Amino acid sequence: MRTAPQLSRRALLTAAAASVTAGVSATAAAPAQASAAHRPPPSAASAGFRTVGRVKRAADGWVQYTWPGIAFEGRFRGTGVGIVLDDSVNDYDVQIDGTTVSTLVTPGRTTSWVEDLAHTEHTVRLVKRTESPWAVGRFGGFVPARGGRLLTAPAARRRQIEFIGDSFTAGYGNVSVTRDCSANGGVDRNSNADLAFGALTARKLDADHQQNAFSGRGMVRNYNGGDPGTDYRTYYDRALLNVTGDVWRRPRAWRPQVVVIGLGINDFSTPLRPGEPWAAQSELIAAYASAYHGFLDKLRARYGRATFLVVSATAVAGTAFADTARGIVRDRNAQGDGRVGFWYYDDPGLDRLGCDWHPSLRDHRIISGLLDRYLATLPLDW
């Protein structure tokens, strides 16, 4: 895989600290602009929605989160719905009855309204497009417009997939049409986790999914050797990535039939630098394999033997990534765990026109199709 001559600061570690359809506001209205009928109750985060992704309830009832692709789904009867948010960092898509009607760009603390709908039952979905490992977003619930009411939240889907990975999994820069995003809004304005390959595949399968992705992180080594002493595993168990020691409390209902792991691009895509813990690539490969086995042990203990674990790899400089990942799967299978598989994805049609040479939206659709075909070969009981 070719890499950009120079990647953005966010590509290094992601660690820096729409259009309008009829009757739908494309930006969040400030609280002072909302009518009295539209003001949310003091504690809006209550019934009326379900959450997809890792979140944490705050003491005041708001829902907190940092991972990309977090989604809130609800149902209501009426001509409109308000979306209560407190977030000056992230971007969101608002979907009504399965169609994206607006994009909220760093909305701040506000209630954003979708109005002038037919007075009938509707679904509403709010999805976090961007990454924010350094900042917590907060959701305060859905609010019905005057004369309407919230309905029972949609039921959880029977199928569940967990995606674990880096910027490819997060959808970094995927909606850009140029590799240099400095003049077209930057990485955040050009990223949409809900259009990354994992989310696309989950929708086709009607599956709930988690997008536990962190750009720039590897299994043992981060991009270009940055932020030594940490790696993806440092953060995996957290709900809030920016809170040291935070632990996500897994709901009983979350037991994915498939976990797709995409970690290794950042480990192997840049040469080792002086002062790193590994004197040669052979040492890095050994450390990566050992850590990967430990990570698979953690997933197996968490989700049980029925969950299928997919170790994925793609084209980067050299063959160390793919060869090592394939060898890890071979070792697991030889040890008697037949529900670990290897998925290698590449295609001559990939253009990598996203920000900083990342997969474009077209690429994500191609990769999703490759994943669809791979998953169809697995003995999944779903």
Side-chain angles (χ1 to χ4, degrees):
M1 180 184 77
R2 292 173 295 176
T3 56
Q6 181 177 3
L7 296 188
S8 67
R9 184 182 182 194
R10 185 176 172 203
L12 297 178
L13 291 173
T14 331
S19 61
V20 180
T21 58
V24 181
S25 47
T27 57
Q33 297 173 323
S35 68
H38 287 173
R39 289 175 188 157
S43 180
S46 54
F49 66 87
R50 63 180 295 264
T51 304
V52 181
R54 295 186 176 187
V55 302
K56 175 166 286 190
R57 289 270 185 171
D60 58 6
W62 289 69
V63 181
Q64 304 175 101
Y65 43 85
T66 54
W67 294 100
I70 300 292
F72 303 96
E73 299 178 344
R75 296 169 58 245
F76 65 96
R77 171 176 286 278
T79 60
V81 65
I83 299 157
V84 184
L85 281 167
D86 182 8
D87 192 345
S88 298
V89 173
N90 290 289
D91 296 353
Y92 298 82
D93 276 348
V94 179
Q95 298 163 0
I96 299 294
D97 300 330
T99 298
T100 298
V101 297
S102 66
T103 297
L104 309 179
V105 177
T106 60
R109 182 155 187 164
T110 189
T111 301
S112 177
W113 287 93
V114 179
E115 299 177 298
D116 298 332
L117 303 173
H119 197 295
T120 185
E121 291 187 11
H122 300 279
T123 61
V124 55
R125 181 172 183 261
L126 177 76
V127 60
K128 180 174 179 279
R129 294 168 53 120
T130 44
E131 293 184 75
S132 60
W134 61 90
V136 174
R138 299 190 346 134
F139 173 69
F142 298 120
V143 183
R146 185 192 299 271
R149 61 188 176 90
L150 297 182
L151 303 175
T152 304
R157 296 169 181 86
R158 182 172 56 86
R159 293 175 174 174
Q160 299 177 340
I161 309 176
E162 181 172 336
F163 295 96
I164 293 170
D166 49 35
S167 55
F168 280 37
T169 302
Y172 177 106
N174 58 341
V175 296
S176 177
V177 293
T178 175
R179 295 176 182 127
D180 182 356
C181 295
S182 59
N184 68 342
V187 173
D188 281 345
R189 301 296 86 77
N190 288 284
S191 296
N192 190 340
D194 205 40
L195 296 178
F197 70 86
L200 296 175
T201 288
R203 264 195 299 285
K204 284 179 279 187
L205 292 170
D206 190 29
D208 281 338
H209 73 283
Q210 288 189 1
Q211 222 161 327
N212 300 325
F214 195 159
S215 289
R217 299 284 168 172
M219 183 63 77
V220 295
R221 181 176 183 259
N222 302 317
Y223 179 81
N224 205 30
D227 203 9
T230 70
D231 51 52
Y232 180 88
R233 295 170 300 152
T234 306
Y235 302 92
Y236 172 69
D237 289 327
R238 300 182 188 181
L240 304 180
L241 293 166
N242 62 335
V243 179
T244 301
D246 185 57
V247 176
W248 175 62
R249 303 299 178 186
R250 178 177 67 87
R252 279 188 176 182
W254 183 251
R255 189 171 291 276
Q257 294 96 339
V258 185
V259 178
V260 180
I261 309 154
L263 293 170
I265 295 173
N266 293 302
D267 296 87
F268 295 111
S269 62
T270 55
L272 290 169
R273 301 192 304 174
E276 292 197 60
W278 313 280
Q281 189 178 67
S282 59
E283 295 181 10
L284 173 62
I285 289 172
Y288 175 84
S290 176
Y292 215 128
H293 279 294
F295 194 65
L296 292 173
D297 289 342
K298 173 196 285 281
L299 293 173
R300 185 58 78 213
R302 172 173 291 179
Y303 295 132
R305 298 196 62 82
T307 296
F308 206 101
L309 307 179
V310 178
V311 174
S312 74
T314 189
V316 296
T319 63
F321 179 22
D323 289 350
T324 306
R326 186 181 290 108
I328 290 166
V329 173
R330 189 165 49 241
D331 290 345
R332 304 297 290 201
N333 295 161
Q335 294 166 12
D337 191 345
R339 296 184 73 80
V340 180
F342 176 69
W343 173 51
Y344 180 82
Y345 63 93
D346 195 14
D347 189 277
L350 298 179
D351 56 39
R352 298 183 177 86
L353 284 175
C355 299
D356 302 319
W357 292 81
H358 279 73
S360 64
L361 181 54
R362 178 176 178 270
D363 292 348
H364 277 277
R365 289 170 177 155
I366 292 173
I367 296 168
S368 174
L370 297 173
L371 179 57
D372 296 344
R373 290 193 283 277
Y374 175 77
L375 293 178
T377 69
L378 302 183
L380 301 176
D381 183 19
W382 65 4

